Amino acid sequence: MLGVADHIFKVLGFEIDTVNSVQFSNHTGYDHWKGQVLNSDELHELYEGLKLNNVNHYDYVLTGYTRDKSFLAMVVDIVQELKQQNSKLVYVCDPVMGDKWSGEGYMYVPKDLLPVYKDKVVPVADIITPNQFEAELLTGRKIHTEKEAIEVMDMLHNMGPETVVITSSDLQAPSGDDYLIALGSHRKTTADGTTVTQRIRMESPKVDAVFVGTGDLFAAMLLAWTHKHPDNLKVACEKTVSAMQHVLQRTIKSAKAQAGKGNKPNSAQLELRMVQSKKDIENPEIIIRATEL
């Protein structure tokens, strides 16, 4: 789903170099897919080409779905090298590993990726965007309450990242069962050495459909809006989640119209309506407000 992130960055004015960790015929929400998985040697070869031409200078790195642990380890080596060149480089990691269905967690990548994320990737990341299940995997702690979610975010901070956003959870929302909770935490150290943490909660209306690419959409927009609002996680998340709601509402409306009355939309009909949502991505009307905790 790198196409989702590509689209976001181009619309919002970022120049990007894209490396496809997987090259698939279509996303894995369909019944069938064909394609290739990039390994560490192939990634290294691509990066060497950039180095030889002296065009390996970046302000941000974003990673998402991958199925190969050697590829993931090579990403860490590259990020560390890029950070030596530019100490202000921000690495945004969406640790795509799995999700919960009907209350049960399920990994949809090989299990040997988890220790690589825990021991190598998260410690070099500046921003991470796990869902609740992924946050639980990374810390070994289950989340049943908002208090426990905050403790898990603190544990993730202690592993390295300054910004942690749990993009979705099955926690009870104050507004009711029709809402989904996301939580964010930004920790920074002031000039006098004091640690200050900003924590927020967001409630979004649930959409009765299974979308593919929403994690990519969230991580890409969070990167873009934290770039524009570097010290205000509340505003960055409000713009990110509001834009997502616009995209999802437009997508489900279109999908239902295509499927016809009484029919459940299929994977093709539920493809995110990115092009049609250009204005909402560029300048989202704020329809989701964050609460400071």
Side-chain angles (χ1 to χ4, degrees), residues 74-235:
M74 179 59 67
V75 165
V76 173
D77 292 342
I78 291 171
V79 168
Q80 288 175 324
E81 183 172 317
L82 291 173
K83 283 193 170 193
Q84 286 179 344
Q85 292 178 193
N86 175 12
S87 61
K88 293 183 179 179
L89 180 138
V90 174
Y91 172 34
V92 182
C93 172
D94 181 10
V96 181
M97 289 183 284
D99 209 342
K100 289 189 176 185
W101 283 272
S102 304
E104 287 297 313
Y106 171 72
M107 285 187 76
Y108 44 65
V109 300
K111 289 190 170 107
D112 61 4
L113 266 65
L114 176 57
V116 183
Y117 273 116
K118 283 177 69 171
D119 301 333
K120 295 184 177 180
V121 180
V122 173
V124 299
D126 300 284
I127 299 173
I128 57 169
T129 59
N131 58 36
Q132 177 181 334
F133 177 59
E134 291 158 347
E136 290 174 343
L137 285 175
L138 290 169
T139 59
R141 285 279 304 274
K142 292 288 186 182
I143 296 171
H144 305 98
T145 64
E146 187 175 281
K147 180 175 179 291
E148 289 176 343
I150 289 170
E151 290 169 356
V152 164
M153 289 193 293
D154 284 343
M155 289 175 71
L156 290 167
H157 281 311
N158 292 338
M159 291 166 72
E162 281 190 355
T163 301
V164 178
V165 179
I166 298 177
T167 57
S168 62
S169 73
D170 55 15
L171 295 174
Q172 180 68 42
S175 299
D177 293 339
D178 293 332
Y179 288 81
L180 189 71
I181 280 191
L183 296 159
S185 181
H186 177 63
R187 179 185 286 182
K188 64 179 179 180
T189 305
T190 60
D192 64 0
T194 308
T195 299
V196 179
T197 305
Q198 177 190 25
R199 298 189 181 98
I200 59 166
R201 177 182 66 237
M202 293 160 290
E203 298 178 62
S204 307
K206 290 180 180 177
V207 182
D208 186 22
V210 177
F211 301 100
V212 175
T214 52
D216 304 280
L217 180 59
F218 191 103
M221 285 198 295
L222 185 65
L223 185 160
W225 291 117
T226 51
H227 170 74
K228 296 175 189 292
H229 306 282
D231 293 312
N232 197 330
L233 182 65
K234 182 176 184 290
V235 170

Side-chain angles (χ1 to χ4, degrees), residues 213-283:
T214 52
D216 304 280
L217 180 59
F218 191 103
M221 285 198 295
L222 185 65
L223 185 160
W225 291 117
T226 51
H227 170 74
K228 296 175 189 292
H229 306 282
D231 293 312
N232 197 330
L233 182 65
K234 182 176 184 290
V235 170
C237 283
E238 285 175 345
K239 290 189 175 184
T240 296
V241 177
S242 293
M244 280 195 69
Q245 272 299 307
H246 291 304
V247 173
L248 296 183
Q249 294 296 342
R250 181 173 288 105
T251 299
I252 194 64
K253 181 180 178 182
S254 173
K256 285 180 174 178
Q258 287 184 36
K261 192 172 182 180
N263 296 321
K264 189 176 180 181
N266 60 31
S267 295
Q269 291 159 344
L270 286 167
E271 291 278 5
L272 297 177
R273 299 302 190 271
M274 300 297 296
V275 174
Q276 298 88 337
S277 303
K278 180 175 179 287
K279 289 183 180 177
D280 291 317
I281 293 166
E282 284 180 313
N283 187 24

